[in-house]
Amino acid sequence: MIWLRVVRLFWQLSPSRVVAYTVVSVLSAVVPAVQIGLTASAVQAVAEAIGGQAGAREVALRDGFALVGLSLAQHVLGMCQQYLDSLLRLELTMRVGEMVMRKGTLLDLQQYEDAEAYDNLQRAFQESSGGRIYQVFTQLLEAVRELITLVTVSAVLFSWNPWIALVILLSPLPSVISHMVFTHKAFEIEYDRTAERRRIYYYQYLTTTDHSFKEVRLFQLGDYFVNLYSNAVRTFFQVDRSLARRQSLIGGGLGILSVLASSGAMLWAIHEAMSSGQVGRLAGYLQAIGSIQVSAHGLLLGIAGLYKDTLFLGNLFTFFGLPERQIKGGTRPFPQKLRVGIEFRDVSFTYPGTDELVLDRLSFRIPAGQCVALVGQNGAGKTTVVKLLTRLYERTGGQILIDDVPIEEYDLDELQRNMGVIFQDFIRYETTARDNIGFGRIEARHDTERVARAAASGGAEQVIDGLPHTYDTMLGRHFEEGHQLSGGQWQKIALSRAFMRKAPVVILDEPTAAIDAEAEAEIFGRLRTIAHEATSLVIAHRFSTVRIADKILVIQGGRLLEEGTHEELLTADGVYARLFNLQASGYLTEAGQR
Ligand SMILES: Nc1ncnc2c1ncn2[C@@H]1O[C@H](COP(=O)(O)OP(=O)(O)OP(=O)(O)O)[C@@H](O)[C@H]1O
């Protein structure tokens, strides 16, 4: 039950405020019934006082003052309700945002890389403002409040004349039913549009973000995406317009029935007042007709809203219920320096939900303190090796050993803390240069000397010296005073982040793709220097990077094809030699043409 979970969430937020809000809501729900009773009594007393009846004047005055008191009470209750409402809403927004972010950090990479799971995550994130949760909570209270009002007002009316009461009570039904039917229809239409809506947001995203601007402008794709957007939105509009038209016709027709029923009740009440002399009751009936119509509408629409919003909220609670950190580690501490090295022994891997064998009994060794390069065509499985070594995924066969110990035996946090990894799609943090490097070891980011040493190792020293506030310069263009870097400069900063970690294992996936040849040679010179302390794995396509490695592994289709030093592999004249000569001849031709 989603609404129960919503109530529980509010209860955890602040039990006292939830109790106060409920009490205030219930009290304000009984006000209309008391008001109707008092109005009827006051009007009756006035009529009797005019007729000269003894004591009627006092009753009229007493009821009048009671009505004044009731209005004041209603005002105070309204104020309390508004205050509690804002407070709960603010707390909830804070809390749900925090919960969603924390949960996001506790999931496994698999949940981000699978298309369907990712869609679900995105749907849940759309609810992360907490707006809908709050709506469900208030709708729930609103429904309860309207129900109490309906029951109490009806009790007063039934005590006067059950038949008139029944007509008044049922009069809103036709228009409420038509409203509910159309709300449901609109919801169904909107629900079926989820996929199309995402596409529409995507067209908007492509035409309004810095990330895509260059291509969209230069390939002149703007009109194309705007047209796709307009066509989709226009189709929505036609469907919505036809629904609105039907709603006006049918809803309007049924609404007439409601008006006729309440008018009939009113005429009946007038007739009864004339024959019984109970003018007060007439005033009561007239007030009750309005009150009941509002409450019946409120109640049924509240229920319809609850139904719709709980459907959407299902996504968020499913997200909260997702399993966390399914990849488990052991208790063994990670070595501060590897003695033996890393070994992949017959490792196989298939991504969850697929049946393609991405790694097929892959075996290799990275001896401690050495720098090993992994080479292979696009899709050969290189990044997958890194994902398994860093335990972002669990291998499906074979064994991965670090210092002869199966990787699963190491404490997972320790293992990940002791690997300095930079992926191909590293993050460009829109924050200061210090943070960008310091995030490699978050607790040491204020240690300027360490950050500077990391920057030197990653070749980012000059980049930072050229920034207006050196380490305290904001990078990127999203925030004020942001300073944009070039692709290669960003990569140097990211590399420095990996060095900031001072980890015994360093893994660099395409670390110098955007860096010029000179800087690359320098960075790798330094990588060799630190290699005595660290064991490193470098993935690269450029042979200028690869050749400096102590050992090169060539993989194809998830299997090890060749292994050796640059010279050994050239002598062997296999795939590596062919690829190397291909790249070298490219350079030679280029040089010859110049
Ligand atoms: N999350 C995933 N789910 C399913 N298949 C995947 C996933 N990630 C990668 N693959 C598939 O696994 C294979 C190996 O991918 P991987 O990223 O390891 O290649 P790579 O050697 O690093 O390639 P590149 O040189 O292009 O970076 C590819 O066929 C790819 O389609």
Side-chain angles (χ1 to χ4, degrees):
M1 287 290 217
I2 301 276
W3 63 268
L4 259 179
R5 298 182 71 170
V6 170
V7 171
R8 202 175 309 138
L9 189 70
F10 273 89
W11 187 257
Q12 285 164 357
L13 218 57
S14 166
S16 56
R17 270 195 269 281
V18 170
V19 169
Y21 195 58
T22 313
V23 168
V24 168
S25 297
V26 170
L27 284 180
S28 53
V30 292
V31 167
V34 181
Q35 234 162 8
I36 288 169
L38 279 174
T39 308
S41 165
V43 172
Q44 186 63 31
V46 169
E48 285 168 4
I50 292 170
Q53 197 169 312
R57 200 183 147 77
E58 286 70 32
V59 175
L61 279 175
R62 187 200 63 201
D63 289 346
F65 279 115
L67 277 170
V68 172
L70 202 63
S71 297
L72 281 174
Q74 198 173 18
H75 177 68
V76 173
L77 285 173
M79 270 170 25
C80 293
Q81 199 170 348
Q82 208 172 6
Y83 172 68
L84 288 166
D85 192 281
S86 333
L87 225 61
L88 278 170
R89 190 189 292 262
L90 289 172
E91 279 178 349
L92 182 82
T93 314
M94 228 160 43
R95 179 72 186 273
V96 174
E98 218 175 86
M99 281 166 72
V100 168
M101 282 177 76
R102 196 162 300 285
K103 183 76 192 184
T105 65
L106 293 174
L107 299 179
D108 288 320
L109 181 60
Q110 177 189 341
Q111 283 148 319
Y112 284 91
E113 291 198 336
D114 175 76
E116 201 181 321
Y118 191 68
D119 259 6
N120 285 334
L121 286 190
Q122 291 310 306
R123 256 181 249 138
F125 291 154
Q126 279 166 16
E127 303 299 335
S128 62
S129 69
R132 215 184 286 273
I133 298 189
Y134 191 76
Q135 224 162 296
V136 165
F137 180 70
T138 49
Q139 273 162 349
L140 199 67
L141 274 186
E142 174 100 8
V144 173
R145 195 166 50 215
E146 301 299 5
L147 190 69
I148 295 175
T149 304
L150 269 181
V151 169
T152 47
V153 171
S154 307
V156 174
L157 298 190
F158 270 92
S159 72
W160 294 344
N161 180 333
W163 295 111
I164 297 183
L166 199 66
V167 178
I168 293 178
L169 206 59
L170 296 182
S171 66
L173 262 190
S175 60
V176 165
I177 287 174
S178 106
H179 195 98
M180 280 187 75
V181 168
F182 281 100
T183 308
H184 185 77
K185 191 90 203 134
F187 169 72
E188 275 181 346
I189 292 174
E190 205 46 48
Y191 198 78
D192 290 340
R193 280 177 184 166
T194 315
E196 197 60 20
R197 278 246 179 262
R198 246 177 296 136
R199 211 161 288 145
I200 287 177
Y201 292 142
Y202 182 59
Y203 302 143
Q204 281 180 320
Y205 165 83
L206 285 176
T207 47
T208 54
T209 50
D210 55 351
H211 184 69
S212 47
F213 181 83
K214 292 195 292 288
E215 280 214 16
V216 170
R217 163 67 60 86
L218 296 177
F219 286 125
Q220 281 133 13
L221 298 172
D223 283 346
Y224 175 73
F225 289 127
V226 172
N227 281 340
L228 285 179
Y229 172 87
S230 305
N231 289 341
V233 179
R234 233 168 251 137
T235 317
F236 286 179
F237 172 71
Q238 276 157 5
V239 175
D240 291 342
R241 189 178 49 189
S242 127
L243 187 74
R245 210 176 278 155
R246 268 185 298 152
Q247 183 166 14
S248 302
L249 283 173
I250 301 174
L254 285 172
I256 290 179
L257 274 183
S258 288
V259 174
L260 288 178
S262 57
S263 308
M266 186 180 66
L267 291 174
W268 195 348
I270 290 175
H271 170 76
E272 200 205 47
M274 281 198 294
S275 52
S276 68
Q278 292 282 342
V279 219
R281 287 193 186 172
L282 176 61
Y285 282 130
L286 294 182
Q287 201 173 351
I289 289 174
S291 169
I292 282 192
Q293 263 166 359
V294 170
S295 294
H297 251 110
L299 175 64
L300 294 174
L301 293 184
I303 291 171
L306 266 178
Y307 168 69
K308 184 182 83 176
D309 287 334
T310 46
L311 277 179
F312 281 109
L313 271 191
N315 296 323
L316 185 63
F317 284 107
T318 312
F319 168 70
F320 285 142
L322 283 178
E324 293 169 4
R325 297 207 166 186
Q326 283 183 299
I327 299 177
K328 297 272 179 273
T331 50
R332 190 184 276 270
F334 199 84
Q336 286 312 299
K337 190 173 173 188
L338 302 201
R339 282 177 305 99
V340 183
I342 298 168
E343 182 182 355
F344 269 51
R345 198 181 283 170
D346 285 330
V347 173
S348 297
F349 182 67
T350 304
Y351 278 98
T354 69
D355 45 21
E356 185 197 349
L357 198 58
V358 173
L359 299 185
D360 184 7
R361 284 164 290 143
L362 180 67
S363 298
F364 63 82
R365 278 170 189 274
I366 308 174
Q370 285 201 4
C371 171
V372 167
L374 202 53
V375 180
Q377 287 167 331
N378 295 128
K382 304 180 295 294
T383 302
T384 306
V385 166
V386 179
K387 288 182 195 164
L388 295 188
L389 184 56
T390 48
R391 300 215 62 207
L392 292 176
Y393 275 100
E394 197 82 287
R395 78 227 156 2
T396 36
Q399 251 192 337
I400 303 173
L401 306 156
I402 295 180
D403 272 0
D404 289 334
V405 173
I407 200 167
E408 299 78 15
E409 289 188 19
Y410 292 107
D411 178 280
L412 187 58
D413 280 339
E414 270 254 321
L415 178 130
Q416 291 174 341
R417 204 174 297 127
N418 282 290
M419 294 196 172
V421 189
I422 285 298
F423 281 99
Q424 240 168 332
D425 51 352
F426 62 86
I427 305 186
R428 300 169 179 207
Y429 294 99
E430 302 265 343
T431 172
T432 58
R434 175 192 305 283
D435 281 353
N436 261 281
I437 298 175
F439 282 172
R441 182 66 70 195
I442 183 86
E443 60 278 16
R445 75 182 190 287
H446 297 299
D447 180 345
T448 305
E449 235 173 76
R450 181 165 175 169
V451 173
R453 269 200 307 275
S457 304
E461 246 175 349
Q462 272 187 349
V463 178
I464 288 167
D465 285 345
L467 294 173
H469 308 291
T470 62
Y471 284 100
D472 295 315
T473 312
M474 282 292 287
L475 301 186
R477 274 273 174 232
H478 282 192
F479 302 110
E480 312 85 71
E481 295 188 36
H483 190 98
Q484 186 59 294
L485 300 181
S486 75
Q489 289 171 330
W490 271 114
Q491 200 161 28
K492 287 178 182 172
I493 297 274
L495 256 172
S496 310
R497 183 157 66 242
F499 290 128
M500 175 77 189
R501 213 155 177 70
K502 274 200 192 160
V505 177
V506 176
I507 305 172
L508 309 174
D509 187 351
E510 288 277 353
T512 51
I515 292 178
D516 58 73
E518 204 175 323
E520 183 191 18
E522 227 177 90
I523 291 165
F524 278 98
R526 272 189 227 112
L527 184 65
R528 290 297 299 267
T529 323
I530 62 160
H532 297 299
E533 290 141 45
T535 305
S536 40
L537 176 67
V538 179
I539 298 180
H541 285 289
R542 273 212 227 155
F543 286 88
S544 46
T545 308
V546 173
R547 60 190 303 170
I548 55 100
D550 296 306
K551 184 162 77 166
I552 298 157
L553 308 170
V554 184
I555 65 170
Q556 195 169 26
R559 304 193 72 161
L560 187 67
L561 211 65
E562 292 169 16
E563 182 175 3
T565 62
H566 176 69
E567 284 70 27
E568 283 165 1
L569 290 176
L570 282 189
T571 316
D573 201 21
V575 172
Y576 181 85
R578 187 171 58 80
L579 292 175
F580 177 78
N581 289 326
L582 218 61
Q583 226 177 58
S585 74
Y587 282 126
L588 290 178
T589 320
E590 233 176 67
Q593 279 168 351
R594 265 194 236 125

